[in-house]
Amino acid sequence: MFGEACKEAGVWGIFSLTRDQHEDHPKKNPYNMFVLIKDQGEIVQKYCKLLPWTLIEGWMLGNLGTIVTEGPKGMKISMIICKNGNYPEIRRDCAMKGAELII
């Protein structure tokens, strides 16, 4: 659905999603995640929140780490969700991998 919308509009999109189930343990909580979709409708990056605030949030810990993807016009893009941006180590990891834009 989101991929089709990006393709139809000819734009890149970032969407916040909840993954329905943990792939190895379907009875565990879902992931809080972002997806980056290119203008051709293809998902080019996924980011699962690495450090949910477990006192309130019922998310699984992310298992993908930080990823850098080449975006529009060659810009290197990485994504971080919410409170994870408060940890300089996570932002630094994105930058050390070459990110020019951290969303």
Side-chain angles (χ1 to χ4, degrees), residues 6 10-15 36-39 44 69-72 77:
C6 288
V11 298
W12 287 63
I14 296 173
F15 301 94
L36 174 63
I37 301 177
K38 65 190 276 181
D39 56 355
V44 293
T69 302
E70 188 172 317
I77 300 173

Side-chain angles (χ1 to χ4, degrees), residues 3-102:
E4 292 171 14
C6 288
K7 187 174 182 179
E8 185 177 311
V11 298
W12 287 63
I14 296 173
F15 301 94
S16 178
L17 306 172
T18 300
R19 245 164 101 178
D20 294 335
Q21 294 180 333
H22 186 280
E23 61 275 0
D24 296 326
H25 306 283
K27 294 185 180 182
K28 288 190 176 182
N29 293 336
Y31 293 108
N32 182 0
M33 71 183 301
F34 273 160
V35 293
L36 174 63
I37 301 177
K38 65 190 276 181
D39 56 355
Q40 298 302 311
E42 175 188 352
I43 294 175
V44 293
Q45 186 179 142
K46 295 178 183 178
Y47 174 81
C48 293
K49 191 171 186 179
L50 294 172
L51 301 168
W53 193 40
T54 55
L55 299 174
I56 293 178
E57 297 178 332
W59 309 111
M60 284 295 298
L61 294 175
N63 62 351
L64 301 175
T66 59
I67 300 168
V68 175
T69 302
E70 188 172 317
K73 300 184 180 183
M75 178 174 279
K76 306 290 186 200
I77 300 173
S78 192
M79 301 185 294
I80 298 175
I81 294 177
C82 193
K83 187 176 185 299
N84 285 193
N86 293 339
Y87 296 96
E89 297 83 2
I90 297 176
R91 293 190 314 269
R92 186 179 307 117
D93 189 53
C94 295
M96 294 297 286
K97 290 179 178 177
E100 299 168 316
L101 173 64
I102 300 172

